[in-house]
């Protein structure tokens, strides 16, 4: 019983810590979070939400206030530099998480602070459907 309680408290503290660390992300860093933590972070007025899927995927549905910059396009970094503010945290997502990690890596190499949505838009939809 005592062991279960310790495990539950440790897990709870871990989730709380993940939500807190997002506001203090250093430049060139990537933090990957679940949909619950991603949504909490989006309450930050300085959040830059970037959907890195194709424009067709974006048109089918996206997270509110998201900016669409397709990571598969050769001018991804140029567009990101023009449209994003390095002093603000960039919250990235794609369909399932692969492209957003690729974009997070590219953005962090340019000095952006990045939060990646693990599981992408699929996880987001599943979370919102609950």
């Amino acid at each position: 019983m005592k062991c279960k309680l310790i495990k539950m408290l440790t897990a709870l503290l871990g989730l709380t810590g993940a939500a807190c660390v997002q506001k203090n992300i250093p430049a060139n860093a990537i933090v990957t979070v679940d949909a619950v933590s991603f949504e909490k972070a989006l309450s930050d007025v300085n959040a830059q939400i970037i959907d890195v899927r194709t424009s067709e995927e974006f048109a089918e549905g996206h997270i509110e206030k998201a900016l669409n910059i397709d990571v598969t396009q050769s001018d991804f970094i140029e567009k990101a530099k023009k449209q994003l503010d390095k002093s603000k945290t960039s919250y990235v997502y794609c369909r399932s998480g692969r492209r957003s990690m690729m974009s997070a890596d590219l953005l962090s190499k340019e000095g952006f602070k990045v939060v990646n949505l693990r599981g992408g838009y699929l996880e987001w939809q599943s979370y919102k459907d609950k």
Side-chain angles (χ1 to χ4, degrees):
M1 181 69 170
K2 195 184 256 187
C3 188
K4 280 185 179 182
L5 181 59
I6 291 171
K7 286 180 182 178
M8 281 183 13
L9 287 173
T10 302
L12 182 59
L13 288 172
L15 288 174
T16 305
C20 293
V21 76
Q22 293 169 20
K23 292 186 179 185
N24 299 316
I25 300 169
N28 301 78
I30 302 170
V31 175
T32 298
V33 299
D34 63 9
V36 175
S37 296
F38 197 81
E39 181 176 48
K40 287 178 185 172
L42 296 181
S43 64
D44 179 359
V45 294
N46 291 316
Q48 303 178 113
I49 310 157
I50 305 99
D51 183 321
V52 299
R53 301 175 298 161
T54 66
S55 57
E56 293 81 14
E57 290 173 296
F58 184 81
E60 291 173 3
H62 56 272
I63 296 174
E64 187 179 344
K65 298 180 184 176
L67 175 65
N68 183 222
I69 307 175
D70 184 349
V71 71
T72 64
Q73 297 297 308
S74 60
D75 61 349
F76 172 75
I77 286 298
E78 289 76 21
K79 285 182 179 178
K81 286 180 179 180
K82 286 180 186 174
Q83 297 178 52
L84 303 175
D85 182 345
K86 282 187 183 180
S87 70
K88 298 178 180 180
T89 302
S90 298
Y91 297 85
V92 298
Y93 72 93
C94 63
R95 182 181 156 277
S96 62
R98 187 172 188 269
R99 287 176 286 175
S100 61
M101 267 313 292
M102 182 171 61
S103 69
D105 184 51
L106 292 169
L107 290 169
S108 71
K109 287 178 181 172
E110 295 295 326
F112 288 91
K113 299 171 278 189
V114 184
V115 174
N116 175 52
L117 174 58
R118 183 190 68 222
Y121 193 66
L122 293 176
E123 181 173 325
W124 180 262
Q125 286 182 306
S126 176
Y127 163 69
K128 295 307 260 181
D129 288 345
K130 290 182 182 179

